[in-house]
Amino acid sequence: MIVTAVSMPEGTSTRVDVAEARRRLATDRFLLVDVELPAEGPEQDEPLARRLGLGTEELTWFGGTEEPARADFLGQSVGVVVPLIHDERVAHIHAVATERFLVTAHHGPADLAPGVMTRVRRHRPHDGVDLLFFLLQESLATYRRAAVAALVEVEELEDDMFQQRRPEQIYRLARLRRFSAVLHHSLLPYLQAVDEVVTQRMMSHDFPEERQRLAREFQHASRLVLATVESLQEAARRAFASYSSLIAGEQNSVINRLAIVSVIFLPLSFLTGFFGMNFTFLTDKLESRDEFWLLAVGLQAVAVVGSLYLLHRTRIWRRLREDD
């Protein structure tokens, strides 16, 4: 377990143990505490919230595993489970915020710290709730970056398919479509939970104007990110449709070639079969060489010329060359 305490608004961070973090949470005026739990391993017997002195029975989920996205208003504090995208997978950060502190916990490393600290240096938060909104905004930023990168890759794959279709393209498209579904399915419950709490607080008369501004910025950013993720889903579906269209076009080209062969050889097969019959007229009346050349070869030539003329008139040749 790695515990980092960041003094606010100075932004100076130090590594501490759990006991020191608990003491500073009880005494410091404004503090950010980040707890990095082992990525794998057994859970602690004592809940993390109790070890840090957060002291509420409603925070038993804090620091646990397999917790879904949530947002709870707990009177003097707010508890949220914030999803983020880390190495193309969904990770979760648990956060508890009051006016005096923000405590976060996550299993394994998280990439939110640089972005949050950049916002801290730029906007100088007044309390832990402001820090919580920075955390929420940065989690949305990870979704936006992942969705935009995947969207660009889908567009590039679609362009490459029209130049040269390869089997690995459909495999990568399938992974991107699944990734877009993961983004959407993890983001939507999170936005719904947070929006419900934010809307309730914005309707309260004691909700400060500055907090209302941060809440509106979060709601606006969440709609934009959700629209970006939905655009990624639509682009992935369109790319699959384009791939299917290319396969259908290749199959049509093969069918056109078979149609040309059939148009040419079907009359020839009929004539060969007809004159191969041993009925009386053919065996007794058609005996000279001229009759043989006229009927056996001449009719074949006429059939071939007629077939080619028919193909030319129906523009099958031209369409086949355009497909090539």
Side-chain angles (χ1 to χ4, degrees):
M1 179 187 298
I2 301 175
V3 183
T4 305
V6 183
S7 299
M8 292 294 171
E10 298 84 2
T12 57
S13 62
T14 55
R15 292 283 180 87
V16 297
D17 56 17
V18 176
E20 176 66 14
R22 178 170 182 163
R23 185 191 66 79
R24 294 187 61 178
L25 284 171
T27 59
D28 286 17
R29 186 184 64 85
F30 188 12
L31 187 66
L32 167 64
V33 174
D34 179 74
V35 180
E36 180 180 333
L37 300 168
E40 297 180 357
E43 296 186 6
Q44 300 291 332
D45 295 334
E46 186 179 8
L48 181 61
R50 184 178 302 170
R51 296 177 66 189
L52 292 172
L54 301 181
T56 173
E57 296 299 329
E58 297 175 316
L59 292 176
T60 55
W61 51 266
F62 185 76
T65 58
E66 304 298 332
E67 289 291 335
R70 64 190 301 160
D72 299 324
F73 181 66
L74 307 173
Q76 299 299 321
S77 63
V78 178
V80 293
V81 177
V82 183
L84 70 148
I85 304 303
H86 179 71
D87 293 337
E88 293 191 354
R89 65 178 182 86
V90 180
H92 291 85
I93 289 184
H94 299 185
V96 177
T98 66
E99 292 186 352
R100 291 184 48 253
F101 58 77
L102 171 66
V103 183
T104 60
H106 48 89
H107 292 268
D111 290 338
L112 284 180
V116 172
M117 295 310 299
T118 300
R119 293 176 184 269
V120 167
R121 289 189 292 268
R122 184 180 304 168
H123 300 288
R124 292 293 180 177
H126 298 90
D127 53 29
V129 179
D130 288 354
L131 271 178
L132 177 62
F133 276 107
F134 292 170
L135 177 68
L136 299 180
Q137 289 278 10
E138 191 60 28
S139 71
L140 291 179
T142 65
Y143 274 87
R144 182 175 59 251
R145 289 191 292 266
V148 170
L151 184 59
V152 171
E153 187 173 357
V154 169
E155 299 290 346
E156 291 177 349
L157 282 173
E158 191 172 8
D159 292 340
D160 292 340
M161 284 189 306
F162 285 100
Q163 297 179 3
Q164 183 180 4
R165 186 175 62 84
R166 297 185 301 274
E168 58 268 20
Q169 293 168 342
I170 193 66
Y171 172 73
R172 185 57 187 163
L173 277 177
R175 293 190 60 186
L176 288 171
R177 186 172 67 174
R178 183 181 181 279
F179 182 59
S180 67
V182 169
L183 290 180
H184 189 268
H185 294 164
S186 61
L187 179 63
L188 192 57
Y190 161 61
L191 296 183
Q192 291 173 342
V194 175
D195 189 66
E196 181 179 354
V197 172
V198 167
T199 303
Q200 290 177 355
R201 293 298 297 152
M202 289 179 65
M203 294 176 63
S204 176
H205 297 292
D206 59 348
F207 200 56
E209 181 65 28
E210 179 63 20
R211 302 276 172 79
Q212 293 184 20
R213 182 186 64 82
L214 293 174
R216 286 193 294 268
E217 289 180 356
F218 171 78
Q219 290 175 330
H220 177 68
S222 65
R223 287 192 291 268
L224 293 179
V225 172
L226 184 60
T228 304
V229 172
E230 291 174 347
S231 298
L232 172 61
Q233 289 184 302
E234 181 62 29
R237 286 191 291 264
R238 187 186 64 244
F240 266 96
S242 299
Y243 194 89
S244 300
S245 298
L246 290 175
I247 294 178
E250 293 177 359
Q251 292 176 344
N252 289 336
S253 179
V254 173
I255 292 174
N256 285 339
R257 288 182 172 88
L258 292 176
I260 291 173
V261 172
S262 300
V263 168
I264 294 175
F265 284 95
L266 187 60
L268 299 180
S269 300
F270 170 75
L271 291 175
T272 303
F274 179 79
F275 286 102
M277 298 179 184
N278 294 324
F279 51 88
T280 305
F281 179 78
L282 288 178
T283 56
D284 296 342
K285 301 297 184 181
L286 302 180
E287 298 178 349
S288 66
R289 181 179 298 177
D290 294 337
E291 291 173 341
F292 168 77
W293 284 103
L294 178 63
L295 296 177
V297 179
L299 285 178
Q300 301 264 7
V302 170
V304 171
V305 172
S307 300
L308 294 177
Y309 178 76
L310 177 63
L311 293 173
H312 176 73
R313 292 291 296 178
T314 56
R315 300 182 180 179
I316 295 180
W317 284 111
R318 186 178 303 176
R319 287 200 298 270
L320 185 60
R321 293 181 63 182
E322 289 176 354
D323 291 340
D324 293 339

